[in-house]
């Protein structure tokens, strides 16, 4: 049942590529002045590109991509909304049994760490 | 969980009926039927039960020693020390008349002897010498019934005491889990009565001497506890994995605090992502040269040991409202693992990058909507 832990460097590179491209597209769009909209779009792009970089192997990435396909409130999930419950934090965590929730959490943590690193790198690069 | 419980209950009734029917020495047959039944009822039990059984068959040395399909052996794996605390001793009464299965019930005799000579034979039992006690079966058995009756009274009031004793005698470290299991199963035992639990006579000589006096409680609970035991092991294994991931969790023991810590960490990571995305949203226009530099910087990170990670500019760090998770701690974790990956990956990255940029990448079919979704989401 245990899928192997993710190769974080590959996830980092994939995420970096997708995220940068998404940001490029975002910057080219009209109506994206320096506003709250941009922040929300950036946040959504970050989530989506992470899930896309991970691919459909993991339940949490599948849940994120499913939510996008349904055009539901992907942005509505701000960090403060979910209660102090692991099921609320990990995407797709509500429908899982406990064991797989734990393994999904482990994978999700690794991917989040990779995401944070890449985004920090981007920040450092853009404005050193 | 509710469905699991219902499946288990159904199972137990059938198990009880099945065992009551086959009273003769066809223990193996009944065991096999129990196995098949266990796979049969409760559809959502199947993976767990089959997994647990396969796991037990593969792993335990007791099984390798003696009969494979012996239900008593199954009980051994399953029950472990969890059999020790049964509240109702009616199972033991059932045990006494059912004794004649000496041929197949070497473990059974083992149990009985262990039961009878509890303080003496415990080291032998714990070594797992199941075959050695066969000749003692008669004496053990004969001695068992009065002892059993005595123990019945003892056990009725003394489940915590037996728990302590078990903890004292069983150094395996499963005790906390077994306490939980015990409490659950004792409740179930009381609720369901004797006839459901017939076969839980399993002795586990190698693990515990205690036991399993609760003879022959239904096989249903056998597979139930098997499944639970496997489940608990898996959960603890994953908790250990998570403990390694989350920084600063080495000192914390206990599931509840670990879970709190994990939740805190996930929340902080998500907040960090949000914060960074806010910053990136304002800094955006300079991303054109970022890709190559980003990837090269990743390579540098992987090789160089994340020095830049730790060197967060003071302006940025002071504005970060993050909790105390040290930035270097978790950044070093993926970094240290892949210094040797960096070299072959350079070419992979560059080629992949160029290919993607040219094609307008499509990561995977499920993710193809991702880009459109992200650009349209904010509308």
């Amino acid at each position: 049942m245990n899928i192997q832990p993710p190769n974080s460097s590959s996830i980092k590179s994939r995420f970096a590529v997708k995220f940068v491209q998404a940001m490029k597209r975002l910057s080219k769009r009209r109506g994206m002045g320096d506003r709250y909209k941009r922040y929300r779009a950036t946040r959504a792009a970050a989530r989506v590109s992470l899930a896309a970089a991970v691919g459909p192997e993991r339940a949490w990435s599948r849940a994120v991509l499913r939510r996008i396909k349904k055009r539901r409130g992907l942005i509505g999930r701000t960090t403060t909304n979910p209660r102090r419950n692991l099921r609320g934090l990990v995407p797709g965590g509500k429908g899982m049994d406990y064991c797989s929730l734990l393994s999904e959490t482990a994978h999700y943590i690794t991917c989040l760490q990779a995401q944070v690193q890449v985004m920090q790198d981007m920040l450092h690069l853009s404005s050193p | 969980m509710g469905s699991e419980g219902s499946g288990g209950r159904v199972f137990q009734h059938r198990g009880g009926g099945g065992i009551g029917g086959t009273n003769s020495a066809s223990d193996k047959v009944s065991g096999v039927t129990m196995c098949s039944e266990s796979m049969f009822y409760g559809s959502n039990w199947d993976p767990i039960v089959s997994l647990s059984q396969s796991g037990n068959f593969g792993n335990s040395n007791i099984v390798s020693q003696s009969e494979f399909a012996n239900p008593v052996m199954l009980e051994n794996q399953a029950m472990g020390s969890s059999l020790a605390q049964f509240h109702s001793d009616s199972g033991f009464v059932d045990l006494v008349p059912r004794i004649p299965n000496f041929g197949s019930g070497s473990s059974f005799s083992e149990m009985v002897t262990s039961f009878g000579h509890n303080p003496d034979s415990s080291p032998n039992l714990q070594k797992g010498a199941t075959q050695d006690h066969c000749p003692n079966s008669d004496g053990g058995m004969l001695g068992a019934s009065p002892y059993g009756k005595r123990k019945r009274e003892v056990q009725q009031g003394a489940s915590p005491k037996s728990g302590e004793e078990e903890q004292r005698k069983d150094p395996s470290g499963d005790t906390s889990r077994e306490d939980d299991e015990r409490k659950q199963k004792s409740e179930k035992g009381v609720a369901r009565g004797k006839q459901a639990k017939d076969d839980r006579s399993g002795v586990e000589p190698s693990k515990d001497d205690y036991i399993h006096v609760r003879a022959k409680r239904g096989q249903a609970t056998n597979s139930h506890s098997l499944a639970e035991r496997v489940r608990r092991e898996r959960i603890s294994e994953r908790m250990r994995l998570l403990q390694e991931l989350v920084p600063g969790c080495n000192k914390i023991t206990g599931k509840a605090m670990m879970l709190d810590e994990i939740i805190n960490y996930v929340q902080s990571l998500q907040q960090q992502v949000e914060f960074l995305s806010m910053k990136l949203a304002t800094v955006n226009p300079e991303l054109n040269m970022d890709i190559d530099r980003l990837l090269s910087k990743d390579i540098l990170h992987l090789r160089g040991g994340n020095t830049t990670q730790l060197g967060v500019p003071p302006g940025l760090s002071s504005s970060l409202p993050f909790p105390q998770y040290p930035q270097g701690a978790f950044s070093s974790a993926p970094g240290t693992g892949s210094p040797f990956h960096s070299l072959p990956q350079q070419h992979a990255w560059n080629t992949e990058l160029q290919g993607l940029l040219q094609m307008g990448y499509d990561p995977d079919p499920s993710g193809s909507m991702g880009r459109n979704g992200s650009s349209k989401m904010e509308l």
Side-chain angles (χ1 to χ4, degrees), chain B residues 29-46:
Chain B
V29 175
S30 65
V32 171
T33 55
M34 287 308 155
C35 298
S36 58
E37 278 183 349
S38 72
M39 302 230 182
F40 214 29
Y41 293 92
S43 57
N44 51 352
W45 275 73
D46 285 346

Side-chain angles (χ1 to χ4, degrees), chain B residues 89-158:
Chain B
D89 288 2
S90 51
F92 186 71
V93 174
D94 286 339
L95 179 68
V96 175
R98 300 170 128 266
I99 286 198
N101 288 324
F102 283 157
S104 61
S106 60
S107 59
F108 175 83
S109 61
E110 182 73 358
M111 171 200 72
V112 171
T113 55
S114 70
F115 189 63
H117 316 290
N118 220 349
D120 305 328
S121 54
S122 49
N124 289 337
L125 290 174
Q126 279 176 346
K127 282 171 195 165
T130 59
Q131 310 298 332
D132 298 338
H133 293 267
C134 273
N136 295 337
S137 59
D138 289 326
M141 180 176 51
L142 288 179
S145 38
Y147 194 91
K149 280 171 191 145
R150 180 160 59 87
K151 187 135 185 175
R152 186 190 328 169
E153 294 134 23
V154 171
Q155 281 219 356
Q156 271 176 354

Side-chain angles (χ1 to χ4, degrees), chain B residues 161-321:
Chain B
K161 189 181 170 188
S162 66
E164 292 168 15
E165 281 179 313
E166 184 174 0
Q167 283 178 5
R168 180 167 45 84
K169 286 189 183 178
D170 181 13
S172 68
D174 284 344
T175 50
S176 58
R177 265 186 277 142
E178 288 161 357
D179 282 340
D180 295 342
E181 274 182 336
R182 231 180 274 150
K183 279 162 197 163
Q184 291 178 15
K185 281 165 202 153
S186 59
E187 293 164 12
K188 290 171 192 160
V190 171
R192 292 187 189 128
K194 331 172 188 180
Q195 56 103 19
K197 303 183 178 181
D198 273 337
D199 253 350
R200 273 175 73 165
S201 62
V203 173
E204 246 198 26
S206 70
K207 283 198 182 174
D208 273 342
D209 38 357
Y210 242 113
I211 315 184
H212 326 306
V213 189
R214 291 297 171 153
K216 312 261 182 181
R217 297 266 164 158
Q219 196 106 18
T221 21
N222 173 26
S223 56
H224 191 104
S225 56
L226 259 176
E228 277 198 27
R229 163 166 290 235
V230 168
R231 181 174 171 265
R232 281 177 194 281
E233 284 171 2
R234 267 195 276 156
I235 286 179
S236 64
E237 172 190 339
R238 288 174 198 191
M239 290 288 291
R240 265 179 269 135
L241 195 72
L242 281 169
Q243 203 169 9
E244 291 167 19
L245 274 182
V246 179
C249 265
N250 299 327
K251 312 133 196 169
I252 299 179
T253 50
K255 270 206 293 190
M257 293 177 61
M258 264 305 300
L259 278 179
D260 276 345
E261 199 60 33
I262 291 168
I263 289 173
N264 280 339
Y265 189 56
V266 171
Q267 265 183 343
S268 81
L269 280 178
Q270 286 176 342
Q271 281 171 358
Q272 236 175 337
V273 168
E274 286 207 353
F275 186 79
L276 286 170
S277 64
M278 186 178 69
K279 289 228 152 210
L280 280 174
T282 60
V283 183
N284 201 10
E286 299 184 17
L287 282 177
N288 294 324
M289 65 284 291
D290 266 355
I291 299 177
D292 294 324
R293 277 207 276 161
L294 193 68
L295 296 178
S296 59
K297 193 159 193 188
D298 276 338
I299 298 174
L300 288 177
H301 277 313
L302 294 174
R303 281 195 200 159
N306 306 325
T307 52
T308 57
Q309 287 289 331
L310 298 173
V312 177
L316 192 63
S317 63
S318 60
S319 60
L320 289 180

